[in-house]
Amino acid sequence: QVQLVESGGGLVQAGGSLRLSCAASASISRSYVMGWYRQAPGKQRELVTSMSSGGSTNYADSVKGRFTISRDNAKNTVFLQMNSLKPDDTGVYFCNARNIYSGYNYWGQGTQVTVSS
């Protein structure tokens, strides 16, 4: 069982930056792909970015060059650095941990990001 707690969301003007954090209650160093998803009002949840235990990353086209995922395995924490934010980035951001052996997904409670124009 892994519990995930996100923090760092808030209100920011377009062009600004935010850094989200996701603290896990158990070790995520080897067995989990960590990811960030977001859900805008009236839309489906979508993958923003993910990182494997080996450090391989992938990003949604809409955030490439602006967002960066990183992980500190020693602290069981994942980060999402978001730069050059746009109003379309507004939504609830969820941290996800997917067990590479069972495929089971754990989710955080989400943190709101609002980008004003």
Side-chain angles (χ1 to χ4, degrees):
Q1 188 89 5
V2 178
Q3 292 181 326
L4 304 172
V5 179
E6 302 99 333
S7 61
L11 173 64
V12 64
Q13 288 188 332
S17 298
L18 283 174
R19 189 191 194 208
L20 306 183
S21 299
C22 171
S25 63
S27 174
I28 58 169
S29 60
R30 296 182 183 275
S31 303
Y32 293 90
V33 175
M34 301 302 297
W36 288 95
Y37 288 70
R38 68 186 179 191
Q39 187 165 17
K43 295 186 177 181
Q44 289 188 334
R45 192 174 297 188
E46 63 175 358
L47 175 67
V48 176
T49 179
S50 65
M51 176 181 272
S52 71
S53 58
S56 298
T57 59
N58 72 293
Y59 294 90
D61 287 344
S62 60
V63 306
K64 283 180 180 177
R66 300 188 298 121
F67 290 12
T68 303
I69 187 173
S70 60
R71 59 196 288 171
D72 184 339
N73 288 332
K75 296 183 178 179
N76 298 324
T77 303
V78 179
F79 304 97
L80 180 62
Q81 178 66 43
M82 304 186 294
N83 299 328
S84 302
L85 282 161
K86 304 175 181 179
D88 283 349
D89 295 319
T90 293
V92 179
Y93 283 68
F94 297 90
C95 181
N96 171 268
R98 178 169 58 83
N99 188 289
I100 63 173
Y101 301 108
S102 68
Y104 192 83
N105 283 284
Y106 296 92
W107 294 94
Q109 82 287 353
T111 185
Q112 177 71 44
V113 171
T114 303
V115 184
S116 63
S117 57

